[in-house]
Amino acid sequence: MTKPTLSCVLLVVLAALAVTARAARPVGLKHVEASTLTLCGQLMPGNPNPYHRVDTVRFKGFTRAENLQVRESAGLAVAFKTDSRVINVRTVYGQYQSPVNTTGIAARGYDLYVRRDGTWRYAGSGCKSDQRLLLGEDLELVANMDGSMHECLLYLPLFAEVDSVQIAVEASARIEPLPRPFRHRIGVWGSSFTHGTGVSRAGMTYVAQLSRLTGLEMLSLGCSGHSKLQPYFARVLAAAQADAFLFDCFSNPSPGEIRERLLPFIETVRQALPGIPLVFQRTIRREGRNFNLKADSLEAAKIAVADSMMALACRRYSDVYYITPSATPPDHLSSVDGVHPDDYGYTLWARSLRGQLLPILKKYGIE
């Protein structure tokens, strides 16, 4: 008699868990595909998979890691209204990552907000374990609500590719698309900072917080570790639908890459989208340089080159700007790993951007 293989045993265990999960699922719920509601944050609407940020069949040149990252749902959110007393979500995942410096809730879970008194308030968040993710069971985000109509905003996972997102409400409840809650279209391209590394929940990225602070729709294309002013990314941005761009692009590239690639990158985007503001951010301070002399020297060199090249770019091109955000409180205690801010650091970042970015955008009728 042959011994069962490990894969066979795993399949039997998963099948048993699936039966248990089906029995445990709450009854009397209906599921609505999120893409049939109001999907916010899409830099490039109309992709075959609506939860992919870039159509990787149309755009080429990405490395294997970049190809996955642009398919992840980071920065996307679903706006809807419902009078259900419970809100669940069910997901069909493609691939997903588990960054060690980001919570599982942020990486492959959900973050729900409900509007109260004109502001978006936290309502619920969560994520299933790796084992439970395979079963496709519902994740309860909030329960025991009062049954009145609520406006909701659900942020999708930061480091996961999703093929289906179904929002579950009571069978007798209404669920409808919410009129788009944000104005204009501001593309945001950048590094792990923009992607959201270090946050506890998807709604705490500086991009998401900036949207809620300003009412402007921020369209995130953060690619952790891979925002290096590559020409193929410039071609993607040049094809996007945006009223303005905000860039976080000096954290990942070397001084040589900044010097070589910045002006051609601007030229590609500028030729395709003349007259729109291109706002570049100086890299925030990384706390890991405080006592590491090598790290301090490299960071200083990168920032010096970025400062020099941006001074040249602002002279050469109209509608190009350079601003300096901050994610550092007076006590310098907002870092997760010496590189990425925590939630509070990203809050400081978003607030510092608001004061500098809004006056620039206002010149172009974006307010």
Side-chain angles (χ1 to χ4, degrees):
M1 180 176 178
T2 59
K3 291 184 177 180
T5 64
L6 180 60
S7 60
C8 290
V9 172
L10 180 60
L11 286 173
V12 171
V13 171
L14 290 177
L17 287 172
V19 171
T20 303
R22 283 195 295 271
R25 281 176 186 161
V27 296
L29 297 182
K30 61 184 177 185
H31 292 74
V32 176
E33 188 66 35
S35 60
T36 66
L37 302 168
T38 302
L39 196 54
C40 303
Q42 291 178 296
L43 182 63
M44 310 187 82
N47 290 334
N49 181 330
Y51 309 113
H52 285 178
R53 296 181 293 167
V54 175
D55 180 358
T56 54
V57 174
R58 176 185 175 192
F59 293 96
K60 300 297 184 180
F62 303 117
T63 66
R64 182 176 180 179
E66 292 162 1
N67 192 286
L68 171 58
Q69 286 181 339
V70 300
R71 299 197 317 270
E72 292 170 342
S73 57
L76 300 185
V78 187
F80 61 97
K81 56 184 179 179
T82 184
D83 57 2
S84 179
R85 293 169 296 177
V86 60
I87 299 175
N88 291 1
V89 63
R90 185 187 298 177
T91 313
V92 176
Y93 289 89
Q95 300 181 63
Y96 60 84
Q97 300 174 274
S98 300
V100 296
N101 44 13
T102 304
T103 70
I105 291 175
R108 48 190 194 278
Y110 292 84
D111 191 11
L112 177 67
Y113 293 74
V114 173
R115 185 143 55 187
R116 174 182 286 174
D117 300 328
T119 62
W120 292 106
R121 302 286 183 89
Y122 171 83
S125 57
C127 178
K128 294 292 184 180
S129 67
D130 284 356
Q131 186 181 60
R132 293 291 178 181
L133 285 176
L134 296 175
L135 301 177
E137 63 183 30
D138 278 13
L139 169 70
E140 183 179 276
L141 292 172
V142 64
N144 304 307
M145 297 176 73
D146 62 12
S148 64
M149 186 64 74
H150 291 95
E151 297 180 339
C152 303
L153 186 65
L154 178 65
Y155 288 94
L156 305 192
L158 296 181
F159 287 91
E161 176 190 20
V162 295
D163 295 325
S164 174
V165 177
Q166 294 184 353
I167 298 171
V169 297
E170 293 173 295
S172 59
R174 295 164 57 195
I175 180 169
E176 303 168 1
L178 184 68
R180 192 162 294 277
F182 303 112
R183 307 178 302 278
H184 303 287
R185 293 178 53 80
I186 316 300
V188 188
W189 181 66
S191 68
S192 55
F193 296 137
T194 298
H195 202 142
T197 299
V199 299
S200 63
R201 311 187 313 271
M204 294 305 292
T205 68
Y206 82 83
V207 180
Q209 292 194 63
L210 190 59
S211 276
R212 297 197 302 273
L213 280 171
T214 64
L216 300 175
E217 185 168 6
M218 301 290 165
L219 317 166
S220 177
L221 187 58
C223 292
S224 182
H226 297 281
S227 173
K228 299 182 179 180
L229 297 164
Q230 303 96 314
Y232 48 87
F233 270 113
R235 290 192 289 271
V236 169
L237 300 177
Q241 302 173 22
D243 303 315
F245 271 108
L246 177 65
F247 299 99
D248 144 44
C249 57
F250 298 126
S251 173
N252 296 151
S254 67
E257 288 170 330
I258 295 171
R259 190 178 294 108
E260 175 187 347
R261 296 177 177 180
L262 177 61
L263 296 183
F265 184 94
I266 293 175
E267 190 70 37
T268 297
V269 178
R270 169 59 65 235
Q271 287 184 1
L273 301 168
I276 73 168
L278 308 179
V279 184
F280 289 80
Q281 301 180 69
R282 197 174 196 249
T283 296
I284 62 166
R285 180 177 179 83
R286 298 185 181 193
E287 295 299 319
R289 64 187 290 192
N290 289 341
F291 300 99
N292 184 322
L293 299 182
K294 182 177 180 180
D296 184 57
S297 177
L298 176 59
E299 285 298 297
K302 289 166 62 174
I303 290 173
V305 171
D307 288 350
S308 174
M309 292 302 299
M310 281 307 305
L312 175 60
C314 290
R315 290 194 302 269
R316 179 173 295 186
Y317 300 100
S318 59
D319 310 310
V320 172
Y321 302 87
Y322 193 40
I323 61 177
T324 303
S326 175
T328 306
D331 59 12
H332 289 256
L333 295 180
S334 64
S335 182
V336 166
D337 54 8
V339 175
H340 304 95
D342 59 13
D343 288 352
Y344 180 52
Y346 282 118
T347 296
L348 296 176
W349 189 334
R351 290 173 180 172
S352 72
L353 281 176
R354 177 175 57 179
Q356 299 176 76
L357 183 62
L358 292 188
I360 294 172
L361 297 181
K362 188 174 181 180
K363 297 179 188 178
Y364 299 83
I366 302 171
E367 52 185 324

